[in-house]
Amino acid sequence: MPTATNRGVSLHYETDGDGPTVAFVGDVGYGAWIWGWHYDALSGPFETLVWDLRGTGDSDAPAGPYDVETLAADLEAVLADRGVGRVHLVGAGLGGMVALRYAHEYGRARTLTLYCTAASGGDVDEAALRSLSLDAGEESSLDGAFSPAFRERTSALVERITEWRREEDAAGDAFAAQAAAMTDFDAPPLYEITQPTELYYGVEDPVVPADAAESLAADLPRGTAAAVEGRHCCFVEHSAAVTDRLTAFLDEHADPEF
């Protein structure tokens, strides 16, 4: 299993497929399982890269505080280790913030796809964010992530998600450090982030309000926003439709040579 290192912190990542690189940047607490649907659909025509944020999965979990600038530097270390020249970034929540910072500070980003992301941590509901942690209880921590209808309709899948979370998710101090990075975030000047950007938000997301997501998209020079039924993990709940949109977006902006 490949690892990159940033200032002594070991960062685990995995790749599959062969083509332009699509790198996934995770949300607070969630392990790599959250990208399974996208990963399976895109691997092949694209190289898919999934990495564990510091504090999550097989990456090191140094003591906090964490911040988005450091997480963006972690991403740069991973991409440099892999030898990626150009990259399409897909980030959720905190990962969307990391993608924004990365696109502003580094030169590899080709496009951005953001899920349930805001330009400021001040727009994030801290109590709702904390409720997503496994520390809040396996069952109750799903309330803000998935709609009741989804959980009832796909009970077997929800059980599997719970198992994956036990194995991969960050909890305790690591979750708190990631959450603080999200709530302390202030975006760089958005007019300077000129990559094509698509943003999707959950219409019932208790963590990032719809108007905050829409405002972020409106302030990006090449940003668009689309509503998705569901809560903070709406992109998982409606993975087929969202992945289709993502694939079309990547195809539109794929470099002829990579």
Side-chain angles (χ1 to χ4, degrees), residues 165-250:
R165 296 187 69 202
R166 292 171 187 158
E167 297 173 359
E168 301 177 18
D169 278 13
D173 291 342
F175 181 95
Q178 292 179 5
M182 185 173 186
T183 56
D184 289 344
F185 176 69
D186 281 312
L190 295 177
Y191 63 85
E192 295 178 354
I193 300 174
T194 58
Q195 290 85 351
T197 302
E198 288 198 343
L199 190 149
Y200 299 87
Y201 61 91
V203 295
E204 296 179 342
D205 184 358
V207 179
V208 177
D211 58 352
E214 290 175 338
S215 176
L216 167 58
D219 288 340
L220 289 165
R222 300 175 71 184
T224 62
V228 180
E229 294 295 326
R231 299 183 179 178
H232 195 60
C233 291
C234 60
F235 57 97
V236 173
E237 185 164 338
H238 298 282
S239 58
V242 174
T243 302
D244 284 347
R245 288 281 300 269
L246 172 61
T247 302
F249 179 64
L250 294 175

Side-chain angles (χ1 to χ4, degrees), residues 51-71:
W51 62 292
D52 295 330
L53 298 185
R54 57 174 63 205
T56 305
D58 292 325
S59 290
D60 287 347
Y66 300 171
D67 56 42
V68 169
E69 183 177 3
T70 298
L71 297 175

Side-chain angles (χ1 to χ4, degrees), residues 70-86:
T70 298
L71 297 175
D74 287 348
L75 174 57
E76 171 65 5
V78 168
L79 296 176
D81 186 81
R82 180 59 182 168
V84 174
R86 298 281 277 167

Side-chain angles (χ1 to χ4, degrees), residues 133-144:
S133 171
L134 281 172
D135 299 324
E138 290 181 350
E139 189 67 27
S140 61
S141 65
L142 295 173
D143 289 345

Side-chain angles (χ1 to χ4, degrees), residues 87-179:
V87 65
H88 301 274
L89 295 178
V90 182
L94 171 62
M97 295 173 171
V98 174
L100 288 168
R101 174 64 67 180
Y102 184 88
H104 186 263
E105 299 297 329
Y106 300 92
R108 302 180 199 266
R110 178 73 178 86
T111 67
L112 307 180
T113 301
L114 313 177
Y115 302 137
C116 302
T117 298
S120 171
D123 292 324
V124 175
D125 187 310
E126 292 189 45
L129 178 61
R130 288 194 299 271
S131 75
L132 300 178
S133 171
L134 281 172
D135 299 324
E138 290 181 350
E139 189 67 27
S140 61
S141 65
L142 295 173
D143 289 345
F146 302 109
S147 70
F150 174 79
R151 292 159 61 189
E152 181 178 351
R153 184 176 68 252
T154 62
S155 57
L157 174 58
V158 170
E159 288 182 8
R160 292 180 64 193
I161 288 174
T162 299
E163 293 173 1
W164 295 331
R165 296 187 69 202
R166 292 171 187 158
E167 297 173 359
E168 301 177 18
D169 278 13
D173 291 342
F175 181 95
Q178 292 179 5

